[in-house]
Amino acid sequence: MNLKKTFLYCLKQSSPIFIAFLPVGLAYGVLMQNAGYNVLWVGLTSLFVDAGSLQFLMVNFFTDSVPLITVAVMALLVNSRHIFYGLPFIEKFRTLGPWRHFVTYYLTDETFSLHCARKCPEGVDEKWAYIFTTVQVVGYWLILSMLGTWIGSLITIDMTGVDFAMTALFVVILVDQLRGADNRLPAIAAVISSVVCLAIFGPGSFILPSLAVTVAALVLLRNVIEPGKEAA
Amino acid sequence: MQIDVTRSILIIVICAGCTVLERSLPFLVFRGKEVPRIIQYLGRVLPMAIMATLVIYCIKGITFTSVVGWAPYLIGIAITAALHWWGKNALFSIAGGTIAYMLMVQMIFV
């Protein structure tokens, strides 16, 4: 086991997320600062909540007198897609010992994607790869959002579009999965379901119905996707 | 601006609690149990399905009323996918796709 090699491997894998977080993290810091919340509040929120869109929404919760029950409902709705992210890792995370709590706490879009994409080469320790990836992604978000309160408003370079790095990362991971797959139906079902749900429910609330429909479709298509494994 | 410290902390606790509850849900449901075959199957096929969903999620703001509303997204994704299908170097594909997208939104489709 080589921890340094594992850390560097994870760093290479997670680096696009740092780029994608650059404008968003800094902008979040600026927004919080303008709402009267200093770097300490930004750090606390990024460390304990660690969820991009919810944290932006929370700025409104902080400044407007939104009832706390509404806060809870909104928080549950905004991140509802996360309920699916643990499913591929139920057995895997059991092997992580006490670290499983840490890795589960920070199972976001970004860490989920990197965990799915990882194919540990020789000398890279799988358990520590889960932990280091999480530390790095949480660290990027924490540092950039806190940095935003100090230097966010000073940055004048036009970073418009740099957040596309996240989309590009997801595309790259998907292409790798499609290339190695016996069956591409899961991706096709997900795209059809997402596009249809986006048209019906709109951009704000399509993702939960879309994932629910996809899961239902995957269950129905089980014989087609994994023929011969139906025995149980 | 005067901030309400107690209320602000409560908001952080509520949002953190709700989020971690959702992230832990599958682990709580199957804690200490053997994972059912159907869930194991979903665990195998969901990563690809969720990545495809996340790609759509990233471009959910797409509109078709003008070319600016869709072209940068779809061309950017096509370039990234093409670079990666043939190039197979993840960082190169991501950098290429992102730079292409930035050029489009800053210089072409403005």
Side-chain angles (χ1 to χ4, degrees):
Chain A
M1 171 166 101
N2 185 333
L3 285 186
K4 190 182 164 199
K5 189 175 176 185
T6 306
F7 189 86
L8 292 176
Y9 168 76
C10 293
L11 202 61
K12 186 182 167 201
Q13 225 207 357
S14 68
S15 55
I17 291 178
F18 179 83
I19 304 295
F21 276 175
L22 254 176
V24 198
L26 295 178
Y28 176 69
V30 174
L31 199 65
M32 283 286 276
Q33 182 84 347
N34 292 344
Y37 287 80
N38 64 21
V39 65
L40 185 71
W41 286 104
V42 173
L44 275 176
T45 314
S46 288
L47 186 64
F48 287 109
V49 183
D50 187 51
S53 38
L54 176 58
Q55 282 185 234
F56 276 91
L57 202 59
M58 283 171 72
V59 181
N60 298 326
F61 299 160
F62 285 143
T63 52
D64 306 337
S65 48
V66 183
L68 292 179
I69 184 73
T70 311
V71 171
V73 172
M74 291 297 286
L76 286 172
L77 283 177
V78 169
N79 286 323
S80 51
R81 65 187 181 282
H82 290 182
I83 60 176
F84 295 100
Y85 289 4
L87 289 175
F89 300 110
I90 296 172
E91 286 174 329
K92 182 58 76 182
F93 283 8
R94 285 178 184 170
T95 65
L96 301 181
W99 284 102
R100 69 183 184 278
H101 301 295
F102 172 71
V103 175
T104 306
Y105 192 106
Y106 292 112
L107 197 54
T108 58
D109 295 343
E110 295 80 16
T111 52
F112 170 84
S113 312
L114 294 182
H115 294 332
C116 288
R118 195 180 303 115
K119 290 183 189 68
C120 288
E122 189 68 34
V124 168
D125 183 73
E126 201 192 5
K127 173 184 165 180
W128 283 96
Y130 279 102
I131 299 164
F132 286 151
T133 296
T134 307
V135 170
Q136 288 163 5
V137 174
V138 176
Y140 298 155
W141 180 243
L142 187 64
I143 290 167
L144 286 171
S145 59
M146 291 173 78
L147 215 56
T149 63
W150 291 323
I151 58 156
S153 47
L154 304 177
I155 303 228
T156 50
I157 316 164
D158 191 352
M159 289 195 292
T160 309
V162 82
D163 53 334
F164 189 80
M166 193 69 76
T167 313
L169 173 71
F170 294 154
V171 170
V172 159
I173 294 173
L174 180 63
V175 166
D176 279 332
Q177 289 169 331
L178 291 173
R179 201 174 8 230
D182 301 325
N183 194 313
R184 292 167 183 162
L185 261 181
I188 297 167
V191 168
I192 294 173
S193 152
S194 299
V195 170
V196 171
C197 287
L198 181 58
I200 298 173
F201 299 98
S205 49
F206 83 101
I207 193 139
L208 190 62
S210 166
L211 284 170
V213 170
T214 302
V215 167
L218 291 173
V219 169
L220 290 174
L221 291 170
R222 190 178 177 191
N223 296 350
V224 185
I225 293 171
E226 287 189 346
K229 284 198 179 180
E230 185 54 9
Chain B
M1 195 187 293
Q2 189 62 42
I3 61 172
D4 184 339
V5 174
T6 315
R7 184 182 142 84
S8 302
I9 289 177
L10 268 174
I11 290 174
I12 295 178
V13 170
I14 291 170
C15 288
C18 290
T19 305
V20 73
L21 180 72
E22 290 180 322
R23 290 175 187 164
S24 322
L25 196 63
F27 303 96
L28 294 174
V29 170
F30 299 107
R31 186 171 52 181
K33 291 183 214 146
E34 199 190 331
V35 182
R37 297 283 281 267
I38 186 75
I39 301 297
Q40 291 181 19
Y41 156 75
L42 281 176
R44 285 191 296 273
V45 292
L46 266 181
M48 188 201 279
I50 292 178
M51 289 321 301
T53 307
L54 281 176
V55 171
I56 306 293
Y57 184 66
C58 284
I59 60 164
K60 64 183 174 178
I62 201 166
T63 54
F64 293 95
T65 43
S66 72
V67 74
V68 185
W70 59 269
Y73 293 119
L74 296 189
I75 297 174
I77 287 176
I79 290 175
T80 310
L83 283 175
H84 201 58
W85 191 266
W86 288 288
K88 300 187 186 181
N89 180 324
L91 293 184
F92 178 77
S93 316
I94 293 167
T98 306
I99 290 168
Y101 179 83
M102 289 179 76
L103 290 175
M104 283 189 283
V105 292
Q106 290 189 18
M107 300 170 93
I108 305 172
F109 302 105
V110 283

